[in-house]
Amino acid sequence: MKIGMIALAVVLIGCITGCTNTTAREHVTLEDQLKRIESVVLLPVDVKIELVTLTGENERLVEREAELAVKLTDIVNASLTEHGFTTVPSDFTETVDDEVDVAYAITQIREGFDQVKKDIDFGRVLPKSKINKMKVTVGEAANIVQSVSGTDAIMMVNYAGFDKSGGHVAKDLATGVLVGVLTMGAVVPVAPKSGAMIEMALIDGASGELLWVNSGGGYLNEKLATHVLKKFPQDVDE
Amino acid sequence: MLWNRLSKRLKRRSLLAPTAISIALLTGCAGTPSHVVNLEQSLTDEYEPLKEEVWAEQQADIVHDELVSRGLLLNAFSPEVSYLREMKSHLMAGSGYGDQIQVYLVRAADPNAFALPNGNIYIHSGLFTSLDDPNQLAAVLAHEVSHVVQRHGLKSVIAQKNALVGAHVADLLTGGLGLVYWGTVASIMNYSREQELEADRDAVELLKQSGYPSSAAISALEAIFEHPLNKHGEKSIYNSHPHFDDRVAALRPLSAASNEGVSGPEDAQYRSIREQMVELNLKLHLRHRQFVLAETIVRDNLGGVLSESQQAMTFSAIKLGVAKYPEDAAKEQHWLDTGKMRAPKALIEQFESATDDNLDQAIQMYREIIDSPRAPVPVAAHKKLAEAYELRGFLSEAAVSYQQYLAQAPEAKDRRFVEYRLQQIQTK
């Protein structure tokens, strides 16, 4: 009975901590920061989907990338509005073509983000009590983008996915069967046919500091964005 | 029962026979690199492009679009790109198909260049740090032109496809353990090395035809291989190329003949362009926290390309950068010394413990720049000094320096960033 109660307690604790653990991170003074943030511009969503083939002719699925980019843009902009922010349409497509500086500034923001990931244990699941200590900056390039858009903050979304060709799926299947037979059924590897990862970051346009970030992995579709945005903060009025 | 017999057979016999047969069967059915014609032949009306060719060109176009959208290509109308394109036109003057090849300049600090199957050649800004004169640049460009003309990219795609199909089959036969892939990768790299040697040979011929000294082919290689990134031979990212000694040995008899004494074009414009590119490369190194690589450029000072002020600013920025990012500085040092990515904890701690000293040195260096009687003082020195003061905990001094920066650069693109830093200090 005592062991049963202990086991039950362990299970319950596991459930509770599992519910409050998260991959999201928040600025150490998020609430104060959000008081200054009214408007947000979404950078061109960076989508990469690769078709992995048996012949090694891996290729980018550019049409699928474009379709998904539109869907992700709509989902993120809608979420920003729902959370109380004003979204400003970005004319970065034209700007990127005419003013290389802005395109390069956006690249620098992405590079700056990659550089600070290790400082915030990005992607790791942490208890909620440990996620609100973030104070890192992607750098001054955020100012260039902010000066073009006129917004208080910048939203960045990176999405990377893969899809396997029929030949590759068949090869995975054959390998799985072979390994399963050779191990007498002890190991039957099942390789996924497709998958995706998404990263999101809300960035202060003045300081370049990360206000909120989150990431997630799952199926190759736009629903991943909805899932990750569940942890997005509500805007705070001054 | 079938799988039991197969597994017993695998234990008794060598794997080479079934692997070789499978690869031969599969690769025999596909196109081969020997089916690929060169660029000139592909431009005739009768030519039917291979499906791999169409695919490879599409992928190359995607890569190009990616480089454009990320702002990594310098403006096509800039003096630097115009210079490169004039050089390309000169190299290909006798060919009649020079317009099939376009040259672009990439914002990338490593000394590299590459060609894609769609006829685009990309020269890294980092090459200008390594190459001393325009003849060496012409040699690199001629090498890349050969890759396009000989369609090495397309041949590699076909070779890789065939090799990978064979590797997949062999992998299946060996229980999905991936053991066969290593040999396959080696065979792809050997093929690539042959292409590199061919491109070297073609480059020498192009240089001779265009009035450049053919010795530039060797001196360009020597200049590039002196770069710290090429220090680790087998561990280097440049490992797909033949070994430096092999390439030079192959080039010596070719470049020794005929046109010694030819000096090539005037280098005044090259020097001016090199100055711009070196400044860009230094910014890139500092942004990517590559402090040793930045310091190497400044210490060499490349025949006086950098002014005294630029040198001083860069040395100061390196001190500040190492203080801000000691772990990255340690990792870079370790990688350049050993070729290994993971720096030992002791080295990281050593860099971390030197943070205050580095900040103090950075402060002193920036103060010397600002107080120097030689005008003009770079405005950025005030901002960087402020940053150093702030990190060191001297907040009132930091505030003064930030204010001086804003007063001297009212239209600065990073004005809001600096105003935010000032506000943060003033609220503490």
Side-chain angles (χ1 to χ4, degrees):
Chain A
M1 181 68 171
K2 200 172 180 181
I3 292 173
M5 291 296 288
I6 293 170
L8 179 63
V10 167
V11 168
L12 279 173
I13 289 167
C15 286
I16 291 165
T17 53
C19 293
T20 56
N21 284 0
T22 177
T23 48
R25 303 286 185 271
E26 295 173 356
H27 191 277
V28 64
T29 58
L30 179 63
E31 200 169 309
D32 288 339
Q33 300 295 327
L34 289 178
K35 286 175 184 170
R36 299 185 296 106
I37 307 294
E38 287 295 330
S39 55
V40 182
V41 67
L42 175 61
L43 295 180
V45 178
D46 187 41
V47 181
K48 297 253 183 319
I49 303 175
E50 195 167 84
L51 179 70
V52 180
T53 68
L54 183 67
T55 58
E57 288 173 347
N58 293 355
E59 58 182 84
R60 293 267 300 276
L61 298 172
V62 287
E63 283 178 11
R64 208 153 156 197
E65 287 175 356
E67 280 170 23
L68 198 53
V70 169
K71 289 179 182 174
L72 289 172
T73 299
D74 289 343
I75 288 172
V76 174
N77 276 327
S79 180
L80 286 168
T81 306
E82 271 170 38
H83 284 84
F85 297 97
T86 305
T87 57
V88 171
S90 68
D91 291 327
F92 289 123
T93 311
E94 293 176 5
T95 317
V96 162
D97 288 335
D98 297 341
E99 292 183 29
V100 178
D101 277 348
V102 177
Y104 190 45
I106 293 174
T107 293
Q108 288 178 67
I109 290 174
R110 293 193 202 282
E111 287 176 354
F113 179 60
D114 285 340
Q115 281 179 327
V116 298
K117 278 177 181 173
K118 64 175 181 344
D119 298 330
I120 57 174
D121 257 337
F122 185 71
R124 274 189 64 201
V125 177
L126 292 179
K128 219 169 172 191
S129 58
K130 293 191 175 178
I131 69 162
N132 56 354
K133 308 213 185 304
M134 187 168 67
K135 190 159 170 57
V136 291
T137 176
V138 300
E140 300 149 18
N143 273 195
I144 296 176
V145 171
Q146 185 273 332
S147 67
V148 170
S149 67
T151 54
D152 303 314
I154 299 160
M155 186 75 171
M156 184 185 76
V157 178
N158 301 327
Y159 185 101
F162 72 91
D163 201 0
K164 287 182 182 170
S165 67
H168 209 295
V169 170
K171 180 242 175 186
D172 282 346
L173 193 60
T175 307
V177 167
L178 178 60
V179 173
V181 166
L182 292 177
T183 60
M184 309 271 282
V187 175
V188 184
V190 178
K193 181 191 176 296
S194 67
M197 282 280 310
I198 195 168
E199 306 175 331
M200 291 194 188
L202 181 67
I203 303 165
D204 180 40
S207 64
E209 285 180 357
L210 294 178
L211 301 177
W212 173 90
V213 302
N214 201 2
S215 64
Y219 294 114
L220 182 62
N221 59 38
E222 68 278 7
K223 292 177 186 170
L224 204 45
T226 310
H227 175 72
V228 167
L229 283 166
K230 281 181 184 165
K231 304 286 185 189
F232 196 70
Q234 193 71 24
D235 192 16
V236 176
D237 292 330
E238 200 143 14
Chain B
M1 200 186 292
L2 174 65
W3 292 117
N4 284 341
R5 286 210 296 267
L6 177 61
S7 64
K8 281 179 188 168
R9 200 172 295 154
L10 285 171
K11 284 175 193 168
R12 279 202 297 267
R13 294 189 188 173
S14 161
L15 293 171
L16 288 177
T19 306
I21 289 167
S22 305
I23 292 172
L25 280 172
L26 283 160
T27 56
C29 297
T32 65
S34 58
H35 293 161
V36 178
V37 302
N38 68 21
L39 179 63
E40 189 176 12
Q41 289 168 309
S42 76
L43 296 173
T44 59
D45 291 335
E46 303 79 39
Y47 178 71
E48 282 283 339
L50 302 170
K51 67 172 168 51
E52 290 90 347
E53 182 175 353
V54 172
W55 179 85
E57 285 183 13
Q58 281 172 349
Q59 298 310 301
D61 288 344
I62 290 172
V63 169
H64 180 79
D65 290 344
E66 183 82 14
L67 290 169
V68 169
S69 69
R70 292 189 184 280
L72 292 174
L73 300 184
L74 268 72
N75 191 307
F77 301 107
S78 66
E80 296 87 4
V81 179
S82 301
Y83 180 87
L84 278 172
R85 290 185 176 179
E86 278 170 29
M87 185 177 273
K88 182 268 303 184
S89 297
H90 183 70
L91 283 168
M92 300 195 71
S95 70
Y97 49 84
D99 58 350
Q100 298 297 317
I101 296 179
Q102 275 303 340
V103 184
Y104 297 90
L105 187 48
V106 186
R107 284 182 164 108
D110 55 307
N112 206 350
F114 61 99
L116 291 182
N118 58 359
N120 288 353
I121 291 173
Y122 301 90
I123 302 290
H124 285 203
S125 59
L127 268 179
F128 287 86
T129 303
S130 294
L131 302 179
D132 298 316
D133 61 52
N135 301 320
Q136 292 175 353
L137 180 63
V140 171
L141 197 44
H143 177 97
E144 298 305 323
V145 163
S146 168
H147 278 317
V148 176
V149 169
Q150 299 295 356
R151 313 241 272 161
H152 288 156
L154 177 57
K155 288 176 181 174
S156 291
V157 164
I158 293 173
Q160 183 185 28
K161 180 182 81 172
N162 292 344
L164 274 173
V165 169
H168 281 306
V169 172
D171 186 45
L172 279 175
L173 294 177
T174 55
L177 299 174
L179 295 174
V180 178
Y181 285 107
W182 289 110
T184 310
V185 166
S187 70
I188 294 169
M189 286 169 64
N190 280 336
Y191 192 90
S192 174
R193 286 189 172 109
E194 285 172 12
Q195 290 170 340
E196 293 297 341
L197 290 172
E198 183 179 33
D200 281 346
R201 290 193 296 272
D202 286 355
V204 168
E205 283 311 307
L206 265 180
L207 290 173
K208 285 179 184 174
Q209 286 167 24
S210 312
Y212 291 100
S214 50
S215 56
I218 293 179
S219 67
L221 273 182
E222 287 170 342
I224 291 170
F225 273 82
E226 267 173 21
H227 194 280
L229 283 174
N230 284 316
K231 203 173 166 184
H232 293 292
E234 293 302 312
K235 300 186 187 76
S236 166
I237 56 171
Y238 299 91
N239 193 33
S240 63
H241 284 60
H243 196 274
F244 167 72
D245 292 338
D246 295 335
R247 292 180 75 176
V248 169
L251 278 171
R252 278 211 195 286
L254 299 172
S255 65
S258 74
N259 74 343
E260 288 313 305
V262 173
S263 61
E266 290 295 317
D267 68 342
Q269 191 181 5
Y270 180 78
R271 188 184 165 83
S272 164
I273 288 170
R274 194 181 188 203
E275 205 176 294
Q276 302 294 320
M277 292 298 99
V278 167
E279 205 176 323
L280 168 63
N281 294 332
L282 282 171
K283 282 183 192 166
L284 290 171
H285 279 313
L286 290 171
R287 228 187 60 241
H288 293 141
R289 303 178 190 178
Q290 295 166 340
F291 305 113
V292 175
L293 292 176
E295 189 169 358
T296 305
I297 293 176
V298 186
R299 291 211 183 278
D300 291 346
N301 195 18
L302 312 168
V305 166
L306 297 168
S307 67
E308 229 175 275
S309 172
Q310 283 172 314
Q311 288 178 71
M313 283 292 288
T314 308
F315 276 128
S316 311
I318 289 169
K319 277 291 167 197
L320 182 56
V322 173
K324 280 176 80 173
Y325 309 111
E327 190 176 340
D328 290 305
K331 283 180 181 170
E332 187 208 8
Q333 180 76 63
H334 188 68
W335 185 71
L336 288 171
D337 287 343
T338 66
K340 293 178 183 164
M341 295 299 295
R342 194 182 282 274
K345 203 172 165 195
L347 184 64
I348 296 173
E349 285 170 357
Q350 187 186 320
F351 274 78
E352 284 171 346
S353 65
T355 294
D356 283 350
D357 284 343
N358 284 326
L359 283 172
D360 290 338
Q361 286 178 51
I363 288 170
Q364 187 183 346
M365 288 159 102
Y366 280 120
R367 281 246 55 95
E368 283 170 8
I369 291 169
I370 290 168
D371 296 338
S372 166
R374 291 189 214 97
V377 171
V379 172
H382 293 284
K383 187 182 79 173
K384 289 299 181 186
L385 177 60
E387 208 178 312
Y389 275 137
E390 191 181 354
L391 284 166
R392 194 63 175 90
F394 304 146
L395 298 185
S396 51
E397 289 89 341
V400 167
S401 291
Y402 277 132
Q403 283 162 344
Q404 281 175 331
Y405 175 75
L406 290 175
Q408 293 193 28
E411 304 298 317
K413 286 180 186 171
D414 58 357
R415 183 176 187 86
R416 282 201 65 187
F417 180 85
V418 174
E419 284 170 348
Y420 177 80
R421 296 293 343 134
L422 197 45
Q423 187 192 41
Q424 290 288 292
I425 288 171
Q426 287 165 344
T427 53
K428 278 184 183 167

